Amino acid sequence: MHRTLRETGFGWAFVLLAGWVLWPPRAVYWSALAEIVGAPLTLVLVGALAVGLGFAVGVLRGVAIRPFVAGALLAYGSGMLAIEVVVRPESPVHLLLYGALLGCLVGGAVLGSHIG
């Protein structure tokens, strides 16, 4: 039980921090790269970085998948709530972008934990 709570908390903290670092609200530093290589390629790069981060965590930490995913989903929910309250975006596109990041991070962690 204690390990489950620890893994859930780790999943929450990891996904919340990784999402904020990879795509910070109001300060999307990827826009400069998108002007050079285009938005689609930039999104692919950010997704690949997210998969890589998740993979590294899966290999290095050997996460327990179910509690990690539970924490990741909690991170998504709390992060989206924080963005709604603090940033007050005009469109719901952030739900899709962060949802895609969540999928990449979790997918990478699942792959990494099975390989590592």
Side-chain angles (χ1 to χ4, degrees), residues 5-100:
L5 290 174
R6 188 174 58 238
E7 288 295 322
T8 302
F10 175 77
W12 177 82
F14 170 73
V15 169
L16 198 63
L17 180 63
W20 183 74
V21 168
L22 287 170
W23 204 273
R26 289 193 192 153
V28 182
Y29 41 77
W30 297 105
S31 56
L33 179 63
E35 289 179 14
I36 298 168
V37 300
L41 187 56
T42 301
L43 291 174
V44 168
L45 174 64
V46 173
L49 286 172
V51 170
L53 277 173
F55 185 83
V57 163
V59 168
L60 297 174
R61 193 161 195 277
V63 295
I65 297 303
R66 287 184 183 162
F68 179 82
V69 170
L73 290 171
L74 288 172
Y76 176 78
S78 58
M80 294 307 93
L81 180 62
I83 287 174
E84 288 293 331
V85 170
V86 176
V87 178
R88 298 189 185 271
E90 293 180 15
S91 85
V93 72
H94 63 287
L95 299 172
L96 296 173
L97 289 172
Y98 286 105

